Structures are given as C-alpha cells and as structure tokens.
Amino acid sequence: DGGITQSPKYLFRKEGQNVTLSCEQNLNHDAMYWYRQDPGQGLRLIYYSQIVNDFQKGDIAEGYSVSREKKESFPLTVTSAQKNPTAFYLCASSRVGIGTEAFFGQGTRLTVV
Amino acid sequence: AQSVTQPDIHITVSEGASLELRCNYSYGATPYLFWYVQSPGQGLQLLLKYFSGDTLVQGIKGFEAEFKRSQSSFNLRKPSVHWSDAAEYFCAVGAGNAGNMLTFGGGTRLMVKP
C-alpha cells in the first residue's frame, strides 16, 4: 500500500539530547513537509522540501534540522537547541503543483523527560 | 501571508443532529481550501478540497463545504452526525505556488452526544 510511514510512534528524549524522527513515503511525491502540532494551535510548518537535496525553513524552524538525500525520505532532527520539543510531529508529502493535497503520516509523539 | 481562523475550539452535537464547522481564511489570491479530520493520536485525513468551479464541494463520509468568497469562508457541514464523526477538524489554505505549503487553522474538536 502506498503511504507515509513515520517512526517511531512514541519517542522519549532526555533534555540536552538530539533525536531524529523518521519519515518515509512511497507515493513518489516530490514535496515533503514536517509539521508540529500542539493543543489548540493547529499545525505549524517546521521545514519543507520540494526536491532532493533542497529544503526551506518553515515558520518554526529554530532548533530543528532536516535532510533530503533521497526522494522517499525526509528525517527531522530535534536538537538540544529546541527549547520546548515535547509535541506531536506530523510528516506529509504531496505532488508539486498548485493546490495539490497533502498526505499525512500517523505522527510521532515526542516527550522530553 | 495567508491565515485561517476556526472560531469554535469545541463543539458538541447530538447524534443525528446537523453540523456546521466554521472556517474563515485570509489570502490575497484565489484560495485553495481543504478540510482535514484527525482522530486522536493519528494523522490527518482529507475530507474535501476546493480549487475552483462549483462553490459547494462534496467530500467523503457525507461531508460537504461551501466556499463563499464574499465572506472569506469555507464552512464544513453534515446533515446528520454519527458518533464516529467525533474527532478534530482542521481547515487549511494552500499557497498558490509550485509547492503546497498548507496553513492550518487551530482546529475544532467535535464531540457527539448519544
């Protein structure tokens, strides 16, 4: 089945540690996105990529980093510089084109302990 | 920059009753509008989308939405709510460029009373 796979579903991190969230898609989409979700705030864009080896910052990129070495993969690293990393993280992908819909993974819940 | 407002954070309706979730957007050009639904701890599923043409859009699970340019609104409706519709609903507007970065509203949590 085509889709987007995020792993792990739950992740615990100690303060001061970096952690990487995985996102893989087999939809042959060129564009991929990372969103952060906090209660009552909707989804906020962290980073996006429209093509391999290229990505741009979204609205809340500070404390995060990404890479796009393969079309299928767009991992997100939450660094120790992110002051409040506990959140639900959603990865999405879409075709590149005006108004194309985004398809979402099942999310990763990150908790800092 | 575009923005989306969902004025109602929580809504409770009785099963079988009609539903309307409000969405107002701000965007300088022709908007590309979406409604997504999210069950607890899950990703988002597309309910319907509006690009152009008929302003009344039909979606999955019996939902529909109406685009009203004069009111900058894209409200979601369902004539008869089922208990399984309890979830969080997000309205989003897409940027009219080569990518499709979505700007989301804050969401409306729907609860359904038996």
Side-chain angles (χ1 to χ4, degrees):
Chain A
D1 286 338
I4 301 176
T5 301
Q6 289 186 243
S7 61
K9 189 170 177 62
Y10 299 97
L11 189 56
F12 296 88
R13 189 195 90 175
K14 293 182 179 180
E15 282 193 29
Q17 288 182 337
N18 293 354
V19 64
T20 298
L21 283 59
S22 171
C23 178
E24 304 275 334
Q25 55 99 359
N26 60 5
L27 299 168
N28 200 33
H29 287 164
D30 286 303
M32 297 187 73
Y33 316 83
W34 274 105
Y35 289 90
R36 170 179 170 142
Q37 185 177 18
D38 296 284
Q41 295 195 46
L43 281 71
R44 293 180 290 168
L45 184 64
I46 304 173
Y47 268 98
Y48 65 97
S49 167
Q50 297 183 10
I51 194 169
V52 173
N53 292 324
D54 188 45
F55 47 83
Q56 287 77 42
K57 293 181 179 180
D59 300 320
I60 56 165
E62 185 176 352
Y64 300 97
S65 66
V66 293
S67 63
R68 188 85 186 276
E69 297 177 0
K70 298 187 301 182
K71 185 176 184 178
E72 301 79 15
S73 178
F74 192 41
L76 174 74
T77 297
V78 184
T79 75
S80 56
Q82 169 51 234
K83 292 183 170 53
N84 185 20
T86 295
F88 191 55
Y89 291 88
L90 285 161
C91 179
S93 71
S94 75
R95 291 181 289 113
V96 173
I98 294 175
T100 57
E101 68 188 78
F103 293 80
F104 285 81
Q106 295 299 294
T108 293
R109 183 165 299 281
L110 173 64
T111 303
V112 173
V113 297
Chain B
Q2 64 265 32
S3 66
V4 178
T5 301
Q6 293 180 246
D8 304 305
I9 297 175
H10 294 99
I11 283 185
T12 300
V13 300
S14 298
E15 191 168 15
S18 63
L19 170 70
E20 183 169 28
L21 302 182
R22 295 183 291 165
C23 172
N24 293 99
Y25 68 90
S26 173
Y27 186 60
T30 300
Y32 302 93
L33 296 160
F34 305 81
W35 274 101
Y36 284 85
V37 60
Q38 183 183 35
S39 298
Q42 300 296 313
L44 275 67
Q45 179 184 21
L46 181 70
L47 284 175
L48 47 79
K49 57 188 177 184
Y50 170 79
F51 294 164
S52 64
D54 193 347
T55 56
L56 186 62
V57 180
Q58 302 297 320
I60 62 171
K61 305 185 180 186
F63 286 93
E64 65 178 27
E66 186 170 12
F67 170 61
K68 292 185 178 180
R69 186 186 297 276
S70 61
Q71 298 177 19
S72 296
S73 70
F74 188 56
N75 294 349
L76 182 71
R77 300 194 294 247
K78 187 169 185 178
S80 177
V81 170
H82 188 263
W83 64 267
S84 60
D85 293 324
E88 188 150 23
Y89 291 80
F90 292 95
C91 181
V93 61
N97 56 17
N100 189 34
M101 287 71 70
L102 298 180
T103 298
F104 286 85
T108 298
R109 182 166 296 281
L110 173 66
M111 291 173 280
V112 181
K113 292 190 299 185

